[in-house]
Amino acid sequence: MRRLFHLLMRLYPADFRREYGEEIERAAAERGAWKEAAMDIVTTAPREHADQFLTTVRQAWRGLRRTPGFTLVALATLAAGIGLNTVIFSLVYGALFKPLPYPEPERLFVVTEATPDQQIRFALGPDFGSWRRLSRSVQIMAGYSGWSALYAGPDGAEPVEATQATPEFFTALGIRPLSGRLFDSDDDRPGARATAVVSHKFWERKLGSRPGSSIELNAAAYEVIGVLPPGFEFPGKTDVWVAFREDFASQRGKDGITLLNTLARLKPGVKPDMAATELTGIAVAGWNLPEVVGGFKNMTKGIRAQLTPLGESIGARSRTQLLMLMGGVALVLVIACVNVANLFVARAASRTREVAVRLALGAGMGRIARDVWAENLLLAAGGALLGITLARLLLRLLLKIAGDAVPRANEISIDTAVLAVTALVSLATGLVFGLSPLLFARRTPLNEALKDGARGGGDPALPRLRSTLVAAQLALSLVLLAGAGLLLRSFVALTQVNPGFDPNGLLTLQTHLAPAGFADRAHPVVLGFYRQALERLAALPGVQSVAMAPDLPVSGRFSNMAALEAEGHPFHRKLPMIGARQINPGYFDSLRIPIRYGRAFTPDDLAKSNQIVINEALARSHFGNVDVAGKRMRVLSDTAPWMTVIGVAADVRHLGLQAEPAPEVYRLYTDRDREMISEMSFALRVERNVDPKSLTGEARETLLSLGSGAGVHNFITMEDRIRGTLSQRRFQLWLLAAFSLLAVGLAAIGVYGVLSYMVTQRSHEIGVRMALGATAADIVGLFMRHAWLLALTGLAVGSAVFYWAGQAISKLLFAIKPTDPWAISGAAITLLLVATAAAALPAWRAAAMDPAAILRRNN
Amino acid sequence: MNGNKNQESLSGAVFHIALALADGPKHGYGMMQDVERQTDGALKLGPGTLYGTLKRMLADDLVEEAGEEDRRRYYRLTTLGRQTARAEAERLSSLVQEAHLKKLLRTPRPAL
């Protein structure tokens, strides 16, 4: 029993045991009731711990209140660091890692296909058809694809975000309707009533929350069968879903196949690579069928299916940039911590005596550590609370500014997961910056501490520790600043890229036509509209000429893809898919795209067929040289007619400024085209000295006066269009710039603090030096040399770190290497200047001291 | 935590210890014995409870150490401790009188 009693004594806090252990044991022995005494320990030990905890916290609180300046600065620094981290982490978490808001999201995958030469990024329609029929590993498979829809609303025609989806789409996601029903297998039957499912937002805003309405899309009536729950956003910001009506299986024998996004919900327990193997097998078997056209057989050689988790696929585009921001903001937090650590060290200096005396009087190191850490954790907790408040405000602001640049923005919030991480980060913060004063206290001998007096001395390790911390801060700031520099240089480089055409003085707009009736009757209406639109727009005063194409440069997409082969050049598999564009004869002239060889189209060519203009990239990839005017190409099919290349145009960066020009083929959109293009873009080349924007009203009037019910929208100058493609980069640049600014500011405060402290500490020495004839310049030099040594050490270390870490953001750069000397040296020079400025103030103060006064005071 | 101790009723252990010390300094075991005697053996204060309570009473200035003898620590009431204990006793006594008035206790006994 007595042994148990001894064991149980360990339950008490050490301090209590030290103070009363012996007494308790003696009392227990005198009474001889070991069992009762043991039970007593068990019931009273928790109380003693709570007591000790409260006492410690109360002491910490009192300690902090004694130094309000320190407490406020430390709190503000921590709140900024923790707040920023919370904001960026909630962005990153919401966009990349948060489980999707669907049941069992880990079973949802996007299926794409690839050949050995090319990522297709979609699934081929025929393969989708076979998978849906044959796959055993997939429970539900759904296809979907963007659909350009014109909605005839009460205020006129307007485009809506629409998606055509196979009936399994919502079942695969596991979504239930708010009201009505979702698609079932009848909805995609040929001849079935046209049905649509709408978003909650659309239902509220456009349909006035009325049940059972019908809407008009592209001049056809759709019955609204169901409304989705609020907040459902997939894919993108879709408002209307219609059933995908397409016979995917029959496409193998034709010359056109649908590319579609494919969603698979795997059967429980099926591993994604097992499913990928199965789907690949099905696809390969499909393309070996006898009815497959020869061209497709070649193109799909080595085809394979790949599965990407749905959540990952949604966030994929922003992954690198979001992780970079996370890294950046984490650096800011570390710098903030270093600043707080620095404050603590400075504060520890004023407590050197207290700590040393307590140590000497027998207080355990653990006890002192606990007191210091209690202050830290109290501060960290306060910082976290303030930080979260700050984060809420910042996040709202950020999503307002840049909500479109972030995937799944509607799911981003400061939720439990984010708060848990913030709490962890704060705890780690408190522990980390709590270490430094302890390290320092441990090595201060009592007599040193007690000598502290006239000279304001203390441990020589103290300023050294602070200097090290500041050098570390400068190193981290350099990493951030140089990173921002790289992004800035990339951005500038991008804006200087030659897009391949002249974007100045162009007004662009889009039309959306949806005449009623079947394609063969509607077609002439559409063609008539385009002919008239071109004529009337070109006749507007101030307009020189007009370009027309389904997609204008930098739109980032091709409305058509084709697989072409060059005559006399055996088919080679590189880049079989080529962007194809139907244009008007004035296209090259209006956009000022130079023709390198041969000629551009003329209006006379409208009567001829089988003529094409190709770009230099296509000439190079398919013929191996550029001057190929007069050569022939055809669609990859033995029966397709040959087309003559009448000219080779300069490469245009259709896919955005950062993308290398892709091979492209142009042909005229003529009356004989079978394909009806319902969405068209126009670019008006205005005369010099005319502001393109000023033509917006007239152009709109002109097009609406043609009276065909066309939707006319997106009036924007080409320059603004290009600016728009850079918005995401601008966003990340601004954020990183803000972070580095904060970092540099914190580092400057750090340098200033260390130097000020040093000046106070060495005032006696300064007085002696000046009395012995040192000039003000000597004194300034004394301190500046120290500051520069500090800065150079920090910058050298920072450069080394950056050299190693810069690779991580190389994906975000354009035309700039991560080791770009300008970015590093620019950042280094900036920091050197900042450090100089921050050190100059205390140095001058030192030089301005009156030596006589100092010496009188100190002796 | 400090300050308003006097207005609140004291916890049982505190009052019993104060009572035990009312007639002079005692050591730990002495206090335990006295508390047992006060309550006719109904309350046996464990040593852990005793010293935990003493620690808090020390912090609140109700008791102080009165030196060591035979390697045992003696404690005594401070003036504040004595006042506090008296206030508590008066409070209890008036409660007992109230109980008599309300015929809750049948045989009146002299109050403390």
Side-chain angles (χ1 to χ4, degrees):
Chain A
M1 214 59 228
R2 188 167 188 156
R3 221 168 325 135
L4 177 67
F5 175 84
H6 271 280
L7 213 65
L8 286 173
M9 282 295 279
R10 306 218 136 260
L11 288 176
Y12 282 126
D15 283 350
F16 184 77
R17 214 167 47 233
R18 232 187 335 272
E19 185 71 20
Y20 298 109
E22 235 173 274
E23 302 275 331
I24 290 176
E25 195 178 339
R26 179 188 287 261
E30 281 178 45
R31 176 180 271 174
W34 290 110
K35 200 170 147 202
E36 280 83 11
M39 283 302 294
D40 191 48
I41 293 177
V42 175
T43 50
T44 52
R47 167 86 200 256
E48 292 308 323
H49 278 283
D51 232 34
Q52 180 178 27
F53 176 76
L54 280 178
T55 315
T56 313
V57 169
R58 217 173 304 131
Q59 261 172 14
W61 173 241
R62 259 185 250 130
L64 290 176
R65 278 190 33 188
R66 261 202 310 274
T67 48
F70 160 82
T71 306
L72 282 180
V73 173
L75 269 182
T77 314
L78 285 174
I82 292 174
L84 276 181
N85 268 272
T86 305
V87 169
I88 299 298
F89 177 73
S90 53
L91 278 189
V92 171
Y93 178 69
L96 299 184
F97 302 116
K98 197 178 195 166
L100 291 166
Y102 315 125
E104 297 183 69
E106 67 285 351
R107 282 164 56 203
L108 285 171
F109 289 83
V110 165
V111 188
T112 56
E113 290 187 271
T115 64
D117 304 309
Q118 205 176 15
Q119 287 287 336
I120 305 178
R121 301 218 330 265
F122 298 97
L124 306 178
D127 289 340
F128 170 73
S130 314
W131 293 336
R132 185 157 62 158
R133 225 177 37 244
L134 301 171
S135 170
R136 291 168 168 281
S137 48
V138 178
Q139 185 180 354
I140 309 171
M141 182 157 253
Y144 60 98
S145 154
W147 186 50
S148 70
L150 189 67
Y151 164 65
D155 321 318
E158 54 179 315
V160 289
E161 292 285 337
T163 294
Q164 37 186 355
T166 61
E168 307 89 343
F169 181 75
F170 296 108
T171 330
L173 290 173
I175 286 292
R176 298 174 162 282
L178 182 73
S179 66
R181 67 172 179 91
L182 301 176
F183 297 131
D184 60 32
S185 55
D186 279 341
D187 286 305
D188 69 338
R189 278 221 179 107
R193 251 177 340 161
T195 49
V197 171
V198 296
S199 71
H200 187 259
K201 201 173 69 198
F202 186 87
W203 184 59
E204 243 179 16
R205 294 201 189 147
K206 303 286 180 192
L207 305 182
S209 305
R210 277 189 306 277
S213 27
S214 160
I215 53 174
E216 194 183 313
L217 296 171
N218 292 350
Y222 284 76
E223 188 194 345
V224 178
I225 55 168
V227 179
L228 289 163
F232 177 81
E233 281 189 4
F234 184 78
K237 301 220 177 291
T238 300
D239 273 327
V240 177
W241 291 260
V242 299
F244 211 145
R245 295 186 179 177
E246 183 77 56
D247 179 11
F248 297 105
S250 72
Q251 290 179 342
R252 286 187 208 282
K254 300 181 182 165
D255 57 356
I257 51 174
T258 313
L259 296 178
L260 74 171
N261 302 293
T262 298
L263 193 66
R265 179 176 280 277
L266 300 188
K267 285 190 181 149
V270 173
K271 295 263 178 329
D273 38 338
M274 276 159 56
T277 312
E278 192 212 9
L279 298 183
T280 300
I282 294 174
V284 169
W287 294 111
N288 286 331
L289 290 173
E291 72 257 31
V292 173
V293 178
F296 284 148
K297 271 211 157 83
N298 272 325
M299 213 183 83
T300 57
K301 206 159 272 169
I303 198 157
R304 62 176 202 281
Q306 330 171 97
L307 271 68
T308 318
L310 178 60
E312 201 177 294
S313 127
I314 294 175
R317 248 172 1 118
S318 312
R319 196 179 181 86
T320 318
Q321 80 156 342
L322 284 172
L323 291 181
M324 173 205 69
L325 288 179
M326 189 75 235
V329 82
L331 278 186
V332 173
L333 181 64
V334 174
I335 294 172
C337 280
V338 172
N339 247 19
V340 177
N342 228 329
L343 285 172
F344 263 97
V345 179
R347 187 153 175 268
S350 63
R351 299 168 112 199
T352 310
R353 280 176 104 143
E354 182 200 324
V355 171
V357 169
R358 279 176 69 186
L359 274 174
L361 291 181
M365 198 63 206
R367 176 74 198 270
I368 293 173
R370 199 176 61 222
D371 288 350
V372 172
W373 263 331
E375 284 190 353
N376 296 341
L377 291 181
L378 209 57
L379 270 182
L385 281 181
L386 284 176
I388 288 167
T389 317
L390 184 74
R392 281 188 191 284
L393 296 174
L394 278 179
L395 188 65
R396 206 172 308 152
L397 188 75
L398 205 64
L399 285 177
K400 202 179 262 177
I401 297 172
D404 295 340
V406 182
R408 295 170 69 189
N410 63 325
E411 291 173 41
I412 290 169
S413 65
I414 298 180
D415 56 19
T416 351
V418 174
L419 286 179
V421 170
T422 300
L424 256 171
V425 166
S426 322
L427 199 70
T429 316
L431 293 179
V432 165
F433 66 64
L435 271 176
S436 47
L438 274 186
L439 285 175
F440 152 72
R442 192 184 281 278
R443 46 194 288 178
T444 310
L446 178 62
N447 56 344
E448 281 288 323
L450 293 181
K451 246 177 10 205
D452 171 8
R455 301 205 178 149
D459 183 3
L462 176 63
R464 222 172 22 240
L465 179 59
R466 293 197 67 185
S467 297
T468 313
L469 287 176
V470 168
Q473 259 183 332
L474 286 167
L476 294 176
S477 305
L478 181 88
V479 173
L480 266 178
L481 201 57
L486 284 182
L487 289 188
L488 179 67
R489 296 250 303 140
S490 293
F491 192 81
V492 171
L494 257 184
T495 57
Q496 287 168 351
V497 163
N498 174 12
F501 68 102
D502 178 9
N504 302 309
L506 282 176
L507 175 69
T508 72
L509 61 98
Q510 273 175 287
T511 64
H512 196 139
L513 260 185
F518 294 105
D520 51 344
R521 255 191 290 145
H523 202 180
V525 178
V526 174
L527 287 170
F529 174 78
Y530 292 147
R531 201 180 313 115
Q532 276 186 305
L534 281 173
E535 261 168 42
R536 298 275 194 89
L537 288 175
L540 286 178
V543 175
Q544 280 183 347
S545 61
V546 181
M548 179 182 89
D551 286 298
L552 289 171
V554 305
S555 69
R557 62 195 164 125
F558 294 109
S559 51
N560 265 306
M561 302 288 273
L564 291 185
E565 65 175 320
E567 188 180 22
H569 291 260
F571 173 76
H572 62 113
R573 311 170 36 127
K574 276 233 140 95
L575 297 168
M577 297 302 266
I578 292 155
R581 214 169 281 259
Q582 293 120 301
I583 58 171
N584 70 323
Y587 185 84
F588 295 108
D589 182 46
S590 304
L591 295 182
R592 306 224 168 106
I593 300 171
I595 298 295
R596 302 284 191 220
Y597 301 95
R599 63 177 180 87
F601 292 114
T602 66
D604 293 340
D605 293 323
L606 284 169
K608 301 171 194 161
S609 47
N610 296 332
Q611 290 188 331
I612 52 173
V613 169
I614 64 175
N615 72 350
E616 289 179 283
L618 177 54
R620 220 172 282 123
S621 77
H622 276 56
F623 290 98
N625 72 42
V626 185
D627 183 5
V628 295
K631 300 269 171 63
R632 301 203 298 171
M633 303 187 83
R634 70 174 177 186
V635 171
L636 262 181
S637 157
D638 302 338
T639 55
W642 287 102
M643 300 177 290
T644 309
V645 177
I646 62 168
V648 177
D651 290 337
V652 172
R653 298 204 169 221
H654 276 303
L655 299 177
L657 294 178
Q658 75 287 347
E660 281 301 310
E664 273 191 87
V665 56
Y666 300 92
R667 63 187 181 80
L668 288 180
Y669 187 50
T670 73
D671 291 0
R672 291 183 312 282
D673 261 291
R674 277 173 305 161
E675 187 194 358
M676 187 172 89
I677 300 176
S678 57
E679 270 186 300
M680 196 60 100
S681 299
F682 293 84
L684 280 55
R685 167 67 64 189
V686 301
E687 278 163 14
R688 212 184 292 244
N689 305 328
V690 174
D691 176 11
K693 266 204 197 93
S694 68
L695 283 161
T696 304
E698 275 175 279
R700 189 200 303 272
E701 295 288 300
T702 307
L703 291 171
L704 290 178
S705 74
L706 293 178
S708 49
V712 182
H713 50 95
N714 273 356
F715 286 85
I716 182 174
T717 66
M718 184 59 90
E719 282 171 302
D720 285 344
R721 218 178 228 272
I722 291 180
R723 211 162 290 142
T725 63
L726 298 176
S727 65
Q728 206 160 10
R729 280 177 187 271
R730 199 174 293 120
F731 170 64
Q732 69 194 25
L733 178 61
W734 275 118
L735 275 184
L736 201 64
F739 296 165
S740 0
L741 216 65
L742 198 62
V744 172
L746 288 171
I749 294 175
V751 172
Y752 174 82
V754 165
L755 265 286
S756 300
Y757 181 73
M758 220 163 97
V759 168
T760 330
Q761 205 188 24
R762 289 168 73 174
S763 59
H764 181 79
E765 178 195 337
I766 297 166
V768 172
R769 279 180 188 244
M770 287 175 96
L772 292 179
T775 62
D778 292 336
I779 300 296
V780 170
L782 179 71
F783 288 101
M784 291 316 285
R785 262 198 303 285
H786 181 80
W788 282 326
L789 184 70
L790 206 74
L792 289 176
T793 314
L795 297 182
V797 173
S799 306
V801 171
F802 185 75
Y803 192 81
W804 169 76
Q807 305 299 330
I809 63 165
S810 60
K811 256 199 230 165
L812 298 174
L813 303 181
F814 174 80
I816 303 289
K817 287 204 191 72
T819 52
D820 182 53
W822 290 102
I824 295 188
S825 55
I829 289 169
T830 309
L831 278 172
L832 201 59
L833 290 177
V834 168
T836 306
L841 221 60
W844 268 320
R845 212 164 47 221
M849 286 183 190
D850 175 8
I854 300 169
L855 295 177
R856 250 201 318 277
R857 193 170 64 229
N858 284 346
N859 284 331
Chain B
M1 283 290 263
N2 294 332
N4 53 1
K5 267 269 139 54
N6 294 336
Q7 284 88 48
E8 283 171 26
S9 67
L10 297 175
S11 84
V14 173
F15 188 58
H16 283 300
I17 292 173
L19 270 185
L21 293 179
D23 53 357
K26 288 194 174 57
H27 56 67
Y29 182 55
M31 283 182 257
M32 286 159 66
Q33 279 176 314
D34 198 276
V35 170
E36 220 174 311
R37 190 196 49 76
Q38 288 167 24
T39 60
D40 294 333
L43 178 65
K44 285 182 178 155
L45 224 47
T49 310
L50 173 74
Y51 281 98
T53 312
L54 272 179
K55 190 196 80 182
R56 281 181 283 282
M57 290 175 81
L58 274 168
D60 291 338
D61 255 347
L62 298 178
V63 297
E64 59 193 5
E65 288 184 21
E68 264 179 44
E69 203 185 289
D70 194 15
R71 293 192 54 225
R72 291 196 288 202
R73 242 181 267 171
Y74 279 72
Y75 295 87
R76 68 167 163 247
L77 277 180
T78 60
T79 319
L80 177 64
R82 191 166 287 282
Q83 284 168 359
T84 311
R86 184 179 303 130
E88 177 70 2
E90 281 163 2
R91 192 181 69 85
L92 289 174
S93 151
S94 75
L95 283 180
V96 170
Q97 276 170 19
E98 187 75 3
H100 286 303
L101 283 176
K102 303 231 167 164
K103 313 278 189 228
L104 209 61
L105 288 176
R106 251 180 287 151
T107 34
R109 263 196 236 158
L112 269 166

Coordinates of all heavy atoms in Angstrom, one line a residue, chain B residues 76-101:
Chain B
R76 N -0.3 28.3 12.0 CA -1.3 29.0 12.8 C -2.1 30.0 12.0 O -1.8 30.3 10.9 CB -0.5 29.8 14.0 CG 0.3 30.9 13.4 CD 0.8 31.8 14.6 NE 1.9 32.7 14.1 CZ 3.1 32.6 14.5 NH1 3.5 31.7 15.4 NH2 4.0 33.4 14.0
L77 N -3.3 30.4 12.7 CA -4.2 31.3 12.0 C -3.6 32.7 12.0 O -2.9 33.1 13.0 CB -5.5 31.4 12.8 CG -6.6 30.3 12.5 CD1 -7.8 30.6 13.3 CD2 -6.9 30.3 11.0
T78 N -3.8 33.5 10.9 CA -3.4 34.9 10.9 C -4.5 35.6 11.5 O -5.6 35.1 11.8 CB -3.1 35.3 9.5 OG1 -4.3 35.2 8.8 CG2 -2.0 34.5 8.8
T79 N -4.3 36.9 11.7 CA -5.4 37.8 12.2 C -6.6 37.7 11.2 O -7.8 37.5 11.6 CB -5.0 39.2 12.3 OG1 -3.6 39.2 12.9 CG2 -5.9 40.0 13.2
L80 N -6.3 37.8 9.9 CA -7.3 37.7 8.9 C -8.0 36.4 9.0 O -9.3 36.3 8.9 CB -6.7 37.9 7.5 CG -7.7 37.8 6.3 CD1 -8.7 38.9 6.4 CD2 -6.9 37.8 5.0
G81 N -7.2 35.3 9.2 CA -7.8 34.0 9.3 C -8.8 33.9 10.4 O -9.9 33.3 10.3
R82 N -8.3 34.4 11.6 CA -9.2 34.4 12.8 C -10.5 35.1 12.5 O -11.6 34.6 12.8 CB -8.4 35.0 13.9 CG -9.0 34.8 15.3 CD -8.0 35.1 16.4 NE -7.0 34.0 16.6 CZ -7.2 32.9 17.2 NH1 -8.3 32.6 17.7 NH2 -6.2 32.0 17.2
Q83 N -10.4 36.4 11.9 CA -11.6 37.2 11.6 C -12.5 36.4 10.7 O -13.7 36.3 10.9 CB -11.2 38.5 11.0 CG -10.6 39.5 11.9 CD -10.0 40.7 11.1 OE1 -10.0 40.7 9.9 NE2 -9.4 41.6 11.9
T84 N -11.9 35.8 9.7 CA -12.7 35.1 8.7 C -13.5 33.9 9.4 O -14.6 33.7 9.1 CB -11.8 34.6 7.6 OG1 -11.0 35.6 7.1 CG2 -12.7 34.1 6.4
A85 N -12.7 33.2 10.2 CA -13.3 32.0 10.8 C -14.5 32.5 11.8 O -15.5 31.9 11.8 CB -12.3 31.3 11.6
R86 N -14.2 33.6 12.5 CA -15.2 34.1 13.4 C -16.5 34.5 12.6 O -17.6 34.1 12.9 CB -14.7 35.3 14.2 CG -15.7 35.8 15.2 CD -15.2 36.9 16.1 NE -14.0 36.6 16.8 CZ -12.9 37.4 16.7 NH1 -12.9 38.5 16.1 NH2 -11.8 37.0 17.4
A87 N -16.3 35.2 11.5 CA -17.4 35.6 10.7 C -18.2 34.4 10.2 O -19.4 34.4 10.2 CB -16.9 36.4 9.5
E88 N -17.5 33.4 9.8 CA -18.2 32.2 9.4 C -19.0 31.5 10.5 O -20.1 31.1 10.3 CB -17.1 31.2 8.8 CG -17.7 29.9 8.3 CD -18.6 30.0 7.0 OE1 -18.7 31.2 6.5 OE2 -19.1 29.0 6.6
A89 N -18.3 31.5 11.7 CA -19.0 30.9 12.8 C -20.3 31.6 13.2 O -21.3 31.0 13.4 CB -18.1 30.9 14.0
E90 N -20.2 33.0 13.1 CA -21.4 33.8 13.4 C -22.5 33.5 12.4 O -23.6 33.4 12.7 CB -21.0 35.3 13.4 CG -20.4 35.7 14.8 CD -19.6 37.0 14.7 OE1 -19.7 37.7 13.6 OE2 -19.0 37.4 15.7
R91 N -22.1 33.4 11.1 CA -23.0 33.2 10.1 C -23.8 31.8 10.3 O -25.0 31.8 10.3 CB -22.3 33.1 8.7 CG -23.2 33.1 7.5 CD -22.4 33.0 6.2 NE -21.8 31.7 6.1 CZ -22.5 30.7 5.6 NH1 -23.7 30.8 5.1 NH2 -21.9 29.5 5.5
L92 N -22.9 30.8 10.7 CA -23.5 29.5 10.9 C -24.5 29.6 12.1 O -25.6 29.0 12.2 CB -22.5 28.5 11.2 CG -21.7 28.1 9.9 CD1 -20.5 27.2 10.3 CD2 -22.6 27.4 8.9
S93 N -24.0 30.3 13.2 CA -24.8 30.4 14.4 C -26.1 31.0 14.1 O -27.2 30.6 14.6 CB -24.0 31.1 15.4 OG -24.8 31.8 16.3
S94 N -26.1 32.1 13.3 CA -27.4 32.8 13.1 C -28.3 31.8 12.2 O -29.5 31.9 12.4 CB -27.2 34.1 12.4 OG -26.8 33.9 11.0
L95 N -27.7 31.0 11.4 CA -28.5 30.1 10.6 C -29.2 29.1 11.6 O -30.3 28.7 11.4 CB -27.6 29.3 9.6 CG -27.3 30.1 8.3 CD1 -26.4 29.3 7.4 CD2 -28.6 30.6 7.6
V96 N -28.4 28.6 12.6 CA -28.9 27.6 13.5 C -30.1 28.2 14.3 O -31.1 27.6 14.5 CB -27.8 27.1 14.4 CG1 -28.4 26.3 15.6 CG2 -26.8 26.3 13.7
Q97 N -29.9 29.5 14.7 CA -31.0 30.2 15.4 C -32.2 30.2 14.6 O -33.4 30.0 15.0 CB -30.6 31.6 15.8 CG -29.8 31.6 17.2 CD -29.2 32.9 17.5 OE1 -29.6 33.9 16.9 NE2 -28.2 32.9 18.3
E98 N -32.0 30.6 13.3 CA -33.1 30.6 12.3 C -33.8 29.3 12.3 O -35.1 29.2 12.3 CB -32.6 31.0 10.9 CG -33.7 31.3 9.9 CD -34.4 32.6 10.1 OE1 -34.0 33.4 11.0 OE2 -35.3 32.9 9.4
A99 N -33.0 28.2 12.3 CA -33.6 26.9 12.2 C -34.5 26.6 13.4 O -35.5 25.9 13.3 CB -32.5 25.8 12.1
H100 N -34.0 27.1 14.6 CA -34.9 26.9 15.8 C -36.2 27.7 15.7 O -37.2 27.1 16.0 CB -34.1 27.4 17.0 CG -33.0 26.5 17.5 ND1 -33.2 25.2 17.8 CD2 -31.7 26.7 17.6 CE1 -32.1 24.6 18.1 NE2 -31.1 25.5 18.0
L101 N -36.1 28.9 15.2 CA -37.3 29.7 15.1 C -38.3 29.0 14.2 O -39.5 29.1 14.4 CB -37.0 31.1 14.5 CG -36.3 32.1 15.5 CD1 -36.0 33.4 14.7 CD2 -37.3 32.4 16.6

